[in-house]
Amino acid sequence: MIRKAFLRDCPEIARLSSQLGYPVDVSQLEERLKCISNHNDHIVYVMESNHVLFGWIHANVRFLIESPPFVEIAGLVVDSAYRGNGIGKQLVQACEQWAAQSGFTKIRVRTNQTRSDAVQFYNRIGFTIKKSQLVLDKEI
């Protein structure tokens, strides 16, 4: 079952995030999800059965000066024990439906080039590579 994420899902969302190399404290995650939930230009879906999450996806609307607005997948994780069973594709389709219902005609995702399995997954479900770029951070 795919549904919107609730605060009670935070321990499972954190567990899955750690599988992808993004460990997060549950209390920090709860604060982030509360903030995200207060914005109608973000969506977080989970796929669950019997209170166990098989995956989650977070997408948000992007408004840029140089291009029309679009929806971007900010994160997608499927439990390593269940990858290859169509869960990721179903979660992406849920976001595509949300985007279309919200009036958007494009969905984008960014993934690390070193995650070749992720690049192949997105290619298989219809995404095409538009450009390569670097991400630079600065602590302030």
Side-chain angles (χ1 to χ4, degrees):
M1 172 178 76
I2 294 178
R3 60 169 174 76
K4 288 184 179 179
F6 299 115
L7 286 176
R8 70 175 185 259
D9 297 318
C10 285
E12 282 288 284
I13 293 171
R15 176 183 67 81
L16 293 171
S17 296
S18 293
Q19 283 189 6
L20 209 57
Y22 299 104
V24 59
D25 179 76
V26 174
S27 62
Q28 290 175 331
L29 182 56
E30 287 172 348
E31 289 303 313
R32 293 173 189 165
L33 188 57
K34 281 180 195 175
C35 182
I36 288 168
S37 297
N38 288 331
H39 297 276
N40 62 2
D41 58 349
H42 285 255
I43 191 72
V44 180
Y45 288 122
V46 298
M47 180 177 275
E48 67 100 15
S49 179
N50 297 323
H51 308 293
V52 175
L53 296 191
F54 298 126
W56 63 261
I57 191 165
H58 171 210
N60 62 286
V61 177
R62 294 290 311 268
F63 292 99
L64 304 174
I65 296 293
E66 73 278 4
S67 64
F70 58 92
V71 169
E72 183 168 89
I73 296 171
L76 169 64
V77 182
V78 173
D79 190 309
S80 60
Y82 298 98
R83 291 181 190 149
N85 292 310
I87 294 168
K89 181 178 180 179
Q90 291 177 58
L91 288 165
V92 170
Q93 288 171 335
C95 282
E96 289 173 346
Q97 186 176 28
W98 174 77
Q101 289 173 343
S102 301
F104 298 96
T105 59
K106 180 170 73 172
I107 189 164
R108 174 179 288 169
V109 66
R110 300 168 199 258
T111 187
N112 193 322
Q113 293 174 326
T114 63
R115 295 190 189 273
S116 59
D117 55 341
V119 174
Q120 291 171 8
F121 164 75
Y122 287 115
N123 283 327
R124 275 195 315 274
I125 64 170
F127 287 79
T128 57
I129 296 172
K130 293 297 178 190
K131 68 177 179 178
S132 296
Q133 65 185 47
L134 299 173
V135 175
L136 298 98
D137 281 345
K138 181 179 180 182
E139 298 295 326
I140 52 173

